[in-house]
Amino acid sequence: MGTGDKINVFPSRMILTVMKVRLKGAEKGHSLLKKKSDALTMKFRATLKKIIENKTVMGDVMKAVYFSLAEAAYAAGDISQTVIQNADKAQNKIKFYEGQRGGCPADELQHVYGGQRQLPADRAG
């Protein structure tokens, strides 16, 4: 605490009341910012947990995919042209939109499957 933090006031009851009101307002503002920070931290941790879970599941799925690709390549030879001809459009898509979390702008992703939206688990009604 330096000397710049000190407020020069004339000591009176009126100034004491004003300073108490200012202190109460500052404490209220600090508590609101703390709540907002906690909410954003919780959202971040939940998102990070989802990412880690999806990453481990994706690793297992990729093992199965590589094995299936090796089986198909062994059985049919080069199948890349057949796959390219039969693929018309993606079944799974990700939609990006901006939302609000704790009064702050927060980007969110939404899974779209077969042209229909699926709400995230925390927003499903």
Side-chain angles (χ1 to χ4, degrees), residues 63-81:
K63 286 179 191 175
V65 166
Y66 282 129
F67 186 72
S68 297
L69 181 62
E71 282 181 332
Y74 179 75
D78 186 22
I79 59 169
S80 60
Q81 291 301 319

Side-chain angles (χ1 to χ4, degrees), residues 2-42:
T3 57
D5 293 337
K6 209 174 200 183
I7 299 174
N8 293 329
V9 294
F10 183 75
S12 68
R13 289 195 170 275
M14 184 62 183
I15 298 296
L16 177 65
T17 305
V18 168
M19 295 311 262
K20 283 183 179 179
V21 168
R22 285 180 68 182
L23 177 63
K24 191 172 183 180
E27 288 172 346
K28 180 73 171 178
H30 181 269
S31 68
L32 289 173
L33 287 174
K34 181 68 176 157
K35 285 181 184 178
K36 182 189 259 187
S37 173
D38 291 343
L40 289 172
T41 302
M42 285 176 49

Side-chain angles (χ1 to χ4, degrees), residues 45-58:
R45 287 184 179 161
T47 304
L48 191 61
K49 185 177 177 182
K50 276 185 188 177
I51 289 171
I52 291 171
E53 288 172 359
N54 289 340
K55 214 173 178 184
T56 56
V57 169
M58 185 60 76

